[in-house]
Amino acid sequence: MGYHVEKSDAEWREQLSPEEYAVLRQAGTERAFTGEYNDTETTGVYRCRACQAALFESDTKFHSGCGWPSFYQPMSDTIEYIEDTSHGMKRVEVRCASCGSHLGHVFPDGYGTPTGDRYCINSISLTLEPAQQPAEQA
């Protein structure tokens, strides 16, 4: 599949840290409960760390207890879905639709959310753009 953002392997390796490359370009996984956005409650937009495409809004983030940031729905048309049968499991991998970078997986166990889905996303795959706060009046 052709992506809006396409780079050679060498370009990705130059742009990303070894840890980012392992997750984003080689479909690795960061350890549970270690990511910087697992417990973040900052209002804003979560973007793909590789290409900065907007992926998730903070108001769709919820505490699932799984050890990774969880969202119940992505922004429109930002995610690519791939069947993943690695590690003896049947899962659905989610990738950035703009650059093909691995983000995590989606599971149908987001009980209590509007969609019933849990997008389990690696923090290292994301950056957070905080919402603009209104200036305080004197």
Side-chain angles (χ1 to χ4, degrees):
M1 172 179 187
Y3 295 103
H4 178 69
V5 176
E6 291 194 22
K7 296 183 181 188
S8 70
D9 188 61
E11 289 172 311
W12 286 121
R13 285 182 185 276
E14 184 177 316
Q15 174 187 333
L16 302 169
S17 73
E19 295 82 11
E20 292 166 347
Y21 182 87
V23 173
L24 288 158
R25 305 309 303 170
Q26 296 180 312
T29 302
E30 65 191 358
R31 287 190 356 256
F33 301 102
T34 63
E36 69 178 304
Y37 300 125
N38 186 46
D39 294 319
T40 300
E41 296 193 19
T42 303
T43 301
V45 173
Y46 288 87
R47 296 181 173 275
C48 173
R49 187 174 298 267
C51 74
Q52 292 304 302
L55 301 171
F56 299 96
E57 293 178 290
S58 61
D59 62 356
T60 66
K61 188 173 187 284
F62 67 101
H63 293 286
S64 69
C66 71
W68 292 274
S70 296
F71 303 87
Y72 61 80
Q73 96 185 11
M75 297 171 79
S76 179
D77 301 326
T78 61
I79 301 293
E80 176 182 24
Y81 300 89
I82 311 255
E83 185 176 325
D84 178 2
T85 57
S86 64
H87 308 293
M89 296 180 269
K90 185 173 181 175
R91 305 178 291 177
V92 177
E93 177 186 2
V94 290
R95 294 184 187 174
C96 173
S98 291
C99 71
S101 288
H102 173 77
L103 304 171
H105 292 85
V106 61
F107 302 97
D109 61 5
Y111 307 114
T113 68
T115 63
D117 291 327
R118 175 176 55 95
Y119 288 78
C120 183
I121 307 298
N122 291 286
S123 285
I124 202 166
S125 296
L126 303 171
T127 59
L128 173 59
E129 179 184 306
Q132 295 292 331
Q133 301 299 320
E136 289 189 38
Q137 297 179 357

